[in-house]
Amino acid sequence: EAGVAQSPRYKIIEKRQSVAFWCNPISGHATLYWYQQILGQGPKLLIQFQNNGVVDDSQLPKDRFSAERLKGVDSTLKIQPAKLEDSAVYLCASSSIAGTKYEQYFGPGTRLTVT
Amino acid sequence: KQEVTQIPAALSVPEGENLVLNCSFTDSAIYNLQWFRQDPGKGLTSLLLIQSSQREQTSGRLNASLDKSSGRSTLYIAASQPGDSATYLCAVRLYGNKLVFGAGTILRVKS
């Protein structure tokens, strides 16, 4: 079974530029999550999708961050305009409604550096 | 608001030593607790998941315990190896399958 795929793996941009990240979850997983992990901290949930609907985006800075999940499969996370404090690793995870424990499976992450 | 704290923030031990990583959480209303491993440039790998009704889980040289009432969990690593060097993250699972993570413990096992 293929894991969660993310691209790009690394991105360097200047502040005030825009950037987009892509995530492809495990096939059949209805729930998709985006996390932000700042250096030295644990991952923080930004947004949670159930199929193509948003379940929780309470910690998403909506003035600059946006996310969508196309047809309930792939997802993109966009930042526009970027700030220095957005430098972090952006992790995507997915989980299945069916099965036990609703375990989340994580992708390798995208490391963003804003200069 | 649920908060998760991990102690110590960093740990360096010689190969072969047994060690304990600590995790505490402020609200006992959790579904389960999960320990992850994170290697540089890679995603999170699940190590152990303990349901709220369980006291401990074991996998190979790893043993995790949970005391829900006191808001504490420990991860015990026996006979540590250099390959165990990584960041270890503790996370509690809340309603809606939301994970709240601690900041992690950076472990270095010296050969």
Side-chain angles (χ1 to χ4, degrees):
Chain A
E1 174 179 80
V4 177
Q6 291 188 247
S7 68
R9 294 295 311 278
Y10 306 91
K11 190 73 177 179
I12 300 174
I13 62 172
E14 295 181 351
K15 59 182 179 183
R16 291 187 290 274
Q17 287 187 324
S18 63
V19 64
F21 312 129
W22 174 81
C23 172
N24 181 242
I26 292 174
S27 177
H29 279 193
T31 311
L32 186 146
Y33 314 79
W34 282 103
Y35 290 86
Q36 179 193 57
Q37 186 177 20
I38 295 172
L39 185 64
Q41 300 181 18
K44 180 185 79 172
L45 179 68
L46 291 176
I47 189 167
Q48 178 181 350
F49 291 95
Q50 183 75 24
N51 295 309
N52 59 356
V54 176
V55 174
D56 183 356
D57 63 357
S58 57
Q59 298 194 91
L60 186 74
K62 299 180 185 65
D63 58 334
R64 297 183 300 106
F65 285 65
S66 65
E68 61 179 2
R69 190 175 183 194
L70 307 174
K71 299 179 181 178
V73 181
D74 294 4
S75 177
T76 56
L77 176 69
K78 297 179 181 178
I79 307 175
Q80 182 179 12
K83 293 185 176 181
L84 295 176
E85 58 260 36
D86 298 333
S87 294
V89 174
Y90 291 84
L91 295 164
C92 179
S94 68
S95 67
S96 172
I97 296 178
T100 61
K101 306 171 189 174
Y102 305 108
E103 194 161 343
Q104 294 182 28
Y105 297 86
F106 286 80
T110 296
R111 181 176 296 276
L112 173 66
T113 301
V114 182
T115 62
Chain B
K1 179 184 176 185
Q2 178 75 261
E3 293 183 358
V4 179
T5 303
Q6 291 188 245
I7 294 173
L11 183 62
S12 181
V13 300
E15 181 177 6
E17 194 162 295
N18 301 326
L19 57 99
V20 174
L21 307 181
N22 297 290
C23 172
S24 62
F25 47 96
T26 55
D27 189 341
S28 61
I30 65 170
Y31 282 87
N32 53 50
L33 182 144
Q34 198 164 1
W35 283 92
F36 292 88
R37 169 183 174 141
Q38 186 172 33
D39 293 282
K42 297 185 179 180
L44 278 61
T45 301
S46 178
L47 298 173
L48 289 165
L49 187 151
I50 312 176
Q51 298 293 354
S52 60
S53 58
Q54 295 178 313
R55 297 288 292 183
E56 64 179 71
Q57 278 283 352
T58 298
S59 175
R61 294 183 292 109
L62 305 179
N63 176 276
S65 68
L66 174 64
D67 185 340
K68 186 181 164 186
S69 61
S70 67
R72 295 183 180 184
S73 175
T74 62
L75 179 66
Y76 175 83
I77 302 177
S80 58
Q81 303 170 358
D84 294 331
S85 297
T87 297
Y88 290 80
L89 293 163
C90 164
V92 295
R93 178 169 278 101
L94 310 180
Y95 175 78
N97 202 24
K98 301 184 195 313
L99 290 176
V100 178
F101 285 85
T105 294
I106 301 171
L107 173 64
R108 180 187 172 207
V109 181
K110 298 172 289 185
S111 57

